[in-house]
Amino acid sequence: MADRILIVDDDPIQRRLLEEALKRLGHETVTASGGEEALKLLTGPNAGVNGPIALVILDLVMPDLDGMGVLGRL
């Protein structure tokens, strides 16, 4: 079973590039366009429903909740 990787970036082009690269390497990807969405995926009621997330690639500079804010709330 492939590892699930969460990609968190407000830039859709960067999200897509990372997603495609990771898929080519055999990983399953989940994407979020911001910090709040990432927190819902990681800690919400449906977190882990499709399996655990093994790694998070987190953009540090985002408009709503930045990467350091996500880490602080986790």
Side-chain angles (χ1 to χ4, degrees):
M1 184 161 132
D3 287 330
R4 293 181 74 221
I5 299 175
L6 173 59
I7 301 166
V8 186
D9 199 317
D10 61 318
D11 183 341
I13 295 170
Q14 291 299 323
R15 265 195 328 266
R16 183 74 175 155
L17 288 171
L18 282 168
E19 183 177 23
E20 289 305 314
L22 292 169
K23 283 183 178 180
R24 274 188 260 122
L25 293 171
H27 299 286
E28 181 183 343
T29 60
V30 180
T31 62
S33 61
E36 292 292 344
E37 184 180 354
L39 285 173
K40 287 178 187 170
L41 290 169
L42 292 167
T43 63
N46 292 325
V49 168
N50 294 322
I53 291 176
L55 176 73
V56 178
I57 299 175
L58 181 61
D59 185 7
L60 290 178
V61 180
M62 295 183 285
D64 62 342
L65 178 63
D66 68 7
M68 295 305 289
V70 171
L71 291 175
R73 288 181 49 189
L74 282 174

